[in-house]
């Protein structure tokens, strides 16, 4: 019995010594690290395959972690990548803040006050942080969570202790919000929807990068971007947009983190946006 154990021990030792077991150990790890792939579907023949190919190519070689959402009502086209991955919202959450404010005002059957209007305009068109903090505090967590629940944005987790920029967002929920802004629904009134889209169409020129990049002429643009640097995951750079015209009606979300600089993140987003606009325009 003893000699049997020692013989087996000698065999294992010899196997390790010759490197036989090493490839087996190495081969067990990469499978778990397989990167998610872009998924697209469309009622328009050939469009899903084209978008999948072009978005994938646009992201080839880009560093960082990117999540993408596209929905075009006109062709019933949807594309997603990392749809449920959570990102720190940065200033993209400002659209949610305004939607929550309008949702709450509607429940009380009231219009926004002049003060609220001016805070909302600064928050969306100039990405004013102080205005956002004021409205976030005014709403409070109960109303913010109430809106998220009404909107079905179950993956969005509001930032604690007033840190609205650390709200956890996903492509799935940002796309839900953009869809609410661009079609009739029971959550937001038509006036509220058009007010938010109008402000997103008046964003200052220095903040109109991202999803509008490469948009065809004659297509209207509504956009809100976010950017934030932290010690972990480098720069978060995000862009959400709604586009209408040229026979299409579509919303797009691109969330990124792990960018070395803000400009690197912008370039990644714009590479994706450019091929999406081009492929939809050609369809």
């Amino acid at each position: 019995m003893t000699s049997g154990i020692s013989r087996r021990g000698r065999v294992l030792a010899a196997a390790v010594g010759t490197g036989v077991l090493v490839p087996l150990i190495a081969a067990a790890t990469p499978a778990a690290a397989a990167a998610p792939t872009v998924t697209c579907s469309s009622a328009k023949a050939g469009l899903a395959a084209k978008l999948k190919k072009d978005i994938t190519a646009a992201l080839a070689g880009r560093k960082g972690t990117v999540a993408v959402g596209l929905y075009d009502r006109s062709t019933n086209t949807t594309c997603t990548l990392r749809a449920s991955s959570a990102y720190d919202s940065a200033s993209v959450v400002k659209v949610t803040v305004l939607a929550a404010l309008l949702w709450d005002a509607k429940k009380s059957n009231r219009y926004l006050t002049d003060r609220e209007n001016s805070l909302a305009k600064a928050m969306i068109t100039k990405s004013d942080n102080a205005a956002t903090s004021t409205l976030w505090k005014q709403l409070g967590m109960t109303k913010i969570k109430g809106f998220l629940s009404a909107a079905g944005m179950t993956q969005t987790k509001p930032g604690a202790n007033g840190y609205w920029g650390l709200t956890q967002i996903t492509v799935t929920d940002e796309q839900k919000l953009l869809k609410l802004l661009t079609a009739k629904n029971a959550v937001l009134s038509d006036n509220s929807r058009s007010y938010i889209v109008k402000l997103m169409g008046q964003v200052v020129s220095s903040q109109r990068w991202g999803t509008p990049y490469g948009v065809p002429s004659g297509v209207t643009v509504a956009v809100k971007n976010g950017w934030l640097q932290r010690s972990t995951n480098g720069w978060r750079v995000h862009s959400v947009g709604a586009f209408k015209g040229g026979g299409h009606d579509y919303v797009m979300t691109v969330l990124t983190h792990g960018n070395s600089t803000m400009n690197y993140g912008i370039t990644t987003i714009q590479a994706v946006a450019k091929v999406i606009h081009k492929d939809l325009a050609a369809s």
Side-chain angles (χ1 to χ4, degrees):
M1 193 74 165
T2 326
S3 61
I5 290 167
S6 62
R7 261 204 314 276
R8 195 171 66 189
R10 282 198 300 275
V11 170
L12 281 173
V16 173
T18 58
V20 172
L21 289 184
V22 177
L24 294 176
I25 294 163
T29 45
T37 56
V38 178
T39 307
C40 295
S41 64
S42 178
K44 181 95 178 182
L47 182 57
K50 181 95 176 87
L51 281 163
K52 178 183 166 74
K53 177 174 168 284
D54 290 347
I55 295 168
T56 302
L59 290 172
R62 299 303 292 175
K63 293 181 172 63
T65 306
V66 185
V68 179
L70 166 70
Y71 172 63
D72 175 36
R73 282 188 183 90
S74 313
T75 53
N76 195 20
T77 299
T78 302
C79 289
T80 56
L81 172 67
R82 293 190 181 91
S84 297
S85 295
Y87 290 76
D88 292 331
S89 68
S91 291
V92 162
V93 77
K94 291 169 181 176
V95 181
T96 301
V97 175
L98 180 51
L101 180 70
L102 290 160
W103 169 79
D104 183 60
K106 178 190 167 198
K107 280 173 58 183
S108 312
N109 201 24
R110 70 172 184 88
Y111 291 109
L112 294 192
T113 64
D114 289 346
R115 173 180 162 279
E116 287 170 334
N117 270 316
S118 107
L119 288 168
K121 185 171 184 183
M123 175 172 71
I124 301 296
T125 65
K126 296 188 291 191
S127 208
D128 188 288
N129 291 338
T132 311
S133 294
T134 301
L135 290 172
W136 183 268
K137 191 175 175 185
Q138 176 187 313
L139 280 164
M141 209 46 74
T142 304
K143 288 178 178 177
I144 290 164
K145 287 181 173 174
F147 168 71
L148 292 172
S149 177
M153 294 168 67
T154 54
Q155 297 177 353
T156 302
K157 310 287 179 248
N161 305 316
Y163 290 110
W164 45 261
L166 299 185
T167 296
Q168 297 299 289
I169 60 170
T170 66
V171 156
T172 295
D173 277 9
E174 290 304 300
Q175 288 289 96
K176 279 182 182 177
L177 178 60
L178 291 169
K179 288 177 189 178
L180 281 178
L181 299 183
T182 52
K184 205 171 191 58
N185 61 82
V187 182
L188 294 169
S189 70
D190 291 351
N191 283 343
S192 295
R193 295 190 301 102
S194 64
Y195 178 68
I196 300 172
V197 171
K198 183 183 86 171
L199 290 182
M200 289 172 69
Q202 294 173 353
V203 165
V204 294
S205 58
S206 61
Q207 295 178 19
R208 293 177 74 79
W209 46 263
T211 50
Y213 189 79
V215 71
S217 59
V219 174
T220 60
V221 172
V223 65
K224 184 69 196 85
N225 296 327
W227 55 97
L228 171 69
Q229 186 184 25
R230 296 184 75 194
S231 56
T232 55
N233 288 326
W235 279 91
R236 295 99 173 93
V237 188
H238 313 314
S239 184
V240 299
F243 308 91
K244 194 164 189 179
H248 291 278
D249 174 8
Y250 55 110
V251 293
M252 191 193 316
T253 298
V254 188
L255 310 177
T256 76
H257 64 209
N259 300 293
S260 52
T261 64
M262 179 177 166
N263 277 338
Y264 187 89
I266 291 174
T267 303
T268 298
I269 293 169
Q270 295 190 163
V272 173
K274 183 182 178 183
V275 298
I276 287 174
H277 292 305
K278 180 171 67 69
D279 289 351
L280 287 177
S283 68

